[in-house]
Every structure is written in structure tokens, then in C-alpha cells.
Amino acid sequence: MLPAKSLMPIIIAVSMVSAIGGLVFNTMPLLLGALGKEFEMSPDALGTLSSNAGWGYLFGTITAPLWVDRVNWKLSALMFSVFAAGTFFFISKAPVSSLVWSFAIYGFACALAIGLATRVLADMPDLERAYGTRLTVELWSIAAFLYVLPVYFISKSGFSGAMIGMAMFTALLGLGSFLFPKRQSLIEKVKYPNWSEAGKAWILIGMFLIYLLVNVAVFFFLSVVAENFSPTGKEVGLMFLVLKWLGGAAGAVGAIIGAKAGFKLPHIMAAGILVVGLAGMTIAKSFNVFMVSSWIWEFGFTLGCLYATTAITRFDPSKKLVVLVPATFGLSMVLGGKVGGKLLSSGSSAPLFIAAGAGALLMLVYVLTLNPPPQSEEK
């Protein structure tokens, strides 16, 4: 464990670098929207780009255990930050024809940052405080950036401006690398539990993947669908600002409630909120209705992710399957973009929103069949 004194500045600094990793997911709707508007790309082509970013991210997350305990953390944080900022600047100047492979590098650069930060936080004595702070710093800082991105970068210089803005924001977040600990350690080789030991947890991971696939698709194409209402740059910026602030708030609410509401009720509440938001976006006749509905959906989606992760941990005696959650997000990025592009190719957003609701309800139905282990029940 790292020394207990003066840990909060280190946690915040590590969370800043972790936020670089969050950019690949959280900026994707605006990037796809800018590309679609500027170069008239089809939803299917945009889905391919987001999928490639997901492949890069997935490769980075699944390979992180091979190197993360073999490198100097402080130096690596600085190198990864420079690499990510440089990647974004390069993409801003690259021709459109190179985006297919550039987006894969984009995802990989983000994965390196979040993989390192996640491992460093695992050495903190208070994991709830460490990961809770990470969630707050990551989502709220990105929320502020998502408000600025369409107003000051995309509206003036399109997709190229967006990538320059991301390079600048990454350089700012990379300052956290200077407070990274230098320490490196050796940990035991990860051995995942077999089916007989954690079969329910394995099924939950599969259900969670389906849940993510369709709901990540919704997030990626929020900006594209919103264009049907011809919003201004400021309106789009406001939508994503509040969206991410509510995501951070949902994480905080879930952390505060913990297991006090029991095992099944939180899943029901999360799925219910998510479905209400999706229904609102489906029937929206104005941008304001669509925007508010997207906020409701985001709150439910974030809660769902939180409680799904908790459920996976509860049914896994080894407590090691949870490390597959970041890779699950990566895989959902790979496939979610393609799924979203295909569903939107019909010319209507309703199939996408219906699929997202079905994915959430599928996972909920399975959760309702489960009885939590005695040690995880509320006392």
C-alpha cells in the first residue's frame, strides 16, 4: 500500500490521468456528429470509426496486466499523456482517409492512461474513496470540456478543431503525472475462477456486455440523432455538460446508497429510470424534450453500470472477474458503434432506443432470478 498521509492530492492527480482514458468514450458522440456533419458520413461509416477506436481501447486494456507492474508509474504516466496529446494533434492534421486506423490509435492511447491509473489506485488504502474520487474528477472535468468542445472548437473548426481541443485538454490532464508515485510492485498472476465457482458472475458479465452494447450505441449516436432537431452548438454543449454531471452524480448516489436498498431494488430503479429516458427520446418532438430525456437515460445507465459491476463482484468468490469490466467496455465500443450505425440506417432512431431498453430489461430479468450470497445481503 502507498503511505496514508497526503493521499488525496495523489488520488486527484491519478484521476486526472485516468480522465484521459475516459475521453475515447465520452467525446465519441461529438466527434461522430462533427464528422457526419462536415464530411456527410453515413451512420454505418461512423459506426466503423467508433468500432476501430474500441478495438484500440480493447487491445490496450487487455494487455495492461502484462506491463503495468513492470514500469515506472510516474514516467509512464508522463509518456502516456504526451503520447495521447500527440495522437490527437496528429489526427487533427491527418487526411480523412487515415481516420480508419487513426481512431484505433486514439483508443489505444486512451487505454494506456486508464489502465495505468486504475492499477495505481488499487494500492490506495481506502478503495471506495479512491475510485469514488476518480469517478467524480473524470466525469465532471470531462463534462466541463464537453460544454466547451462544441462551442469553441467544433463550431469554429469542425472535426480538426475538436481534436486540437482534445490535445490541449489532454496536456492539461497530463499535469497530474507529476504527482504520480514512482513505485512499482509485483502482484500474483491473475487466475480467473472457473464456471463451477462463479457461473452466475460469468453470466452477469455476458448480460452486462449486451447491456453495454446497445446503450453505448445510444451514447455514441446522441449527437447524430440530436441533429434532427437542428440544435445550436451551445445547446449541444449544454446537453453533454449536464449529461456527464448527472453521470457523476449517479455514481455518487450509488456509492452513498451502497447495499442499503438491498440487492434487487437498485437494479429495478436503474432499469426503470433508463427506460423512461429512452421512451422520452423516442417520442421527443423538440430538442429540449430530447435533451432532458437523454439526461434521465444517462442517470439510469450509470446506475446500471455501477450495480452490474457490484453484482459481478458479489457472485465471484475470487473477486477477480471484476477486472474484466474495463475490457467489456472496450468490446462494447468495438461492437456498439457498428450496432448503432446499423440500427440507425433504417432512417429512424426508434429501433436503437428499443434495443437499448431491451438490453437493460434482459439483464434486469436475470438479476431478479438471483438470490445474493448471504454475506452480501443487507443486514
Side-chain angles (χ1 to χ4, degrees), residues 24 52-53 55-57 83-84 87-88 90-91 98-112:
V24 68
N52 288 349
W55 278 116
Y57 183 86
F83 176 56
T87 297
F88 302 151
F90 171 81
I91 294 176
S98 69
L99 291 181
V100 173
W101 56 268
S102 295
F103 263 57
I105 299 176
Y106 163 31
F108 179 71
C110 290
L112 294 178

Side-chain angles (χ1 to χ4, degrees), residues 146-157:
L146 291 181
Y147 179 74
V148 172
L149 187 61
V151 177
Y152 295 100
F153 293 98
I154 295 178
S155 64
K156 296 180 179 179
S157 303

Side-chain angles (χ1 to χ4, degrees), residues 20-280:
I20 297 174
L23 287 175
V24 68
F25 177 79
N26 291 297
T27 62
M28 193 60 69
L30 290 176
L31 296 183
L32 297 183
L35 283 168
K37 186 176 182 179
E38 185 174 349
F39 301 104
E40 298 183 350
M41 289 186 175
S42 68
D44 193 40
L46 295 175
T48 298
L49 291 180
S50 64
S51 177
N52 288 349
W55 278 116
Y57 183 86
L58 178 62
F59 181 74
T61 53
I62 63 176
T63 57
L66 302 178
W67 54 261
V68 74
D69 281 303
R70 301 172 182 270
V71 299
N72 180 290
W73 289 344
K74 187 171 187 177
L75 178 60
S76 296
L78 180 59
M79 292 175 60
F80 294 163
S81 300
V82 171
F83 176 56
T87 297
F88 302 151
F89 182 76
F90 171 81
I91 294 176
S92 73
K93 304 297 182 181
V96 177
S97 59
S98 69
L99 291 181
V100 173
W101 56 268
S102 295
F103 263 57
I105 299 176
Y106 163 31
F108 179 71
C110 290
L112 294 178
I114 202 168
L116 177 65
T118 300
R119 171 64 186 93
V120 173
L121 290 178
D123 267 5
M124 299 295 167
D126 189 337
L127 294 179
E128 289 75 17
R129 182 178 68 168
Y131 285 108
T133 301
R134 170 197 166 188
L135 180 65
T136 301
V137 171
E138 181 173 324
L139 290 180
W140 286 0
S141 63
I142 290 178
F145 177 63
L146 291 181
Y147 179 74
V148 172
L149 187 61
V151 177
Y152 295 100
F153 293 98
I154 295 178
S155 64
K156 296 180 179 179
S157 303
F159 175 73
S160 177
M163 299 310 297
I164 291 177
M166 287 177 60
M168 295 171 61
F169 184 54
T170 299
L172 178 63
L173 294 173
L175 294 176
S177 62
F178 291 102
L179 287 182
F180 256 66
K182 298 180 180 178
R183 180 180 181 274
Q184 56 191 37
S185 62
L186 294 176
I187 57 175
E188 62 177 325
K189 183 179 180 180
V190 175
K191 181 180 179 181
Y192 296 118
N194 57 38
W195 186 266
S196 62
E197 295 172 318
K200 293 177 180 178
W202 281 109
I203 294 175
L204 280 168
I205 288 177
M207 293 291 180
F208 187 45
L209 176 59
I210 296 173
Y211 173 84
L212 286 176
L213 281 178
V214 284
N215 280 281
V216 164
V218 170
F219 180 72
F220 279 0
F221 285 94
L222 272 183
S223 183
V224 174
V225 177
E227 284 298 321
N228 293 330
F229 303 101
S230 302
T232 65
K234 288 186 178 180
E235 287 175 327
V236 174
L238 176 63
M239 181 176 76
F240 282 99
L241 170 68
V242 178
L243 195 82
K244 289 296 104 181
W245 273 89
L246 284 174
V253 168
I256 292 172
I257 293 177
K260 297 177 183 177
F263 174 66
K264 297 179 180 180
L265 181 59
H267 291 272
I268 297 174
M269 293 174 59
I273 295 171
L274 180 145
V275 169
V276 169
L278 290 171

